[in-house]
Amino acid sequence: ITPSSSLSPFWAAGRVNGIPADFEILSSKGRHAYTFERVQTGFYKMTWETPHPDGANFIVFAQGEGVGSTWNILHNANTELGNTSTSVLFIVRTSSFAITDGIINWAIVA
């Protein structure tokens, strides 16, 4: 086994609770640690220090945990809120597309 084969397939990944009373990083995985900021209701920014080799054009997956509805997680909403090589911003919506706070599971491919 080569040393590089033991590297995580994820650049950064985790599970976060964006509900204000319980706001915290629940899990952090991947090659790089990240910070988590609630920009406003339903808007969450994940930031890491080492720029992604694909710049802002990385592949990211996200899944929300909702009670009573399926949540929709959007990212790279526009130029102002778009991804950068060191951050991604998620927008959390209910199944009726109302903005809401919640728990997000996310991963960026290395």
Side-chain angles (χ1 to χ4, degrees):
I1 296 175
T2 62
S4 63
S5 67
S6 65
L7 289 177
S8 172
F10 303 111
W11 193 253
R15 181 171 180 250
V16 297
N17 186 340
I19 299 169
D22 300 315
F23 185 79
E24 67 179 316
I25 293 175
L26 300 170
S27 180
S28 180
K29 302 291 181 184
R31 297 180 186 182
H32 303 281
Y34 66 92
T35 59
F36 167 44
E37 173 188 3
R38 181 179 179 266
V39 178
Q40 64 184 53
T41 302
F43 285 68
Y44 306 106
K45 186 174 186 176
M46 314 312 175
T47 305
W48 53 93
E49 287 189 30
T50 305
H52 193 282
D54 293 335
N57 195 31
F58 48 75
I59 297 171
V60 60
F61 302 98
Q63 180 253 333
E65 298 178 25
V67 177
S69 68
T70 303
W71 291 7
N72 299 279
I73 311 295
L74 310 171
H75 73 94
N76 201 13
N78 59 42
T79 306
E80 182 180 335
L81 300 175
N83 298 341
T84 71
S85 64
T86 58
S87 71
V88 62
L89 186 128
F90 295 108
I91 302 169
V92 180
R93 295 180 179 267
T94 66
S95 59
S96 61
F97 284 94
I99 293 178
T100 188
D101 285 318
I103 297 172
I104 302 172
N105 299 287
W106 66 281
I108 295 173
V109 178

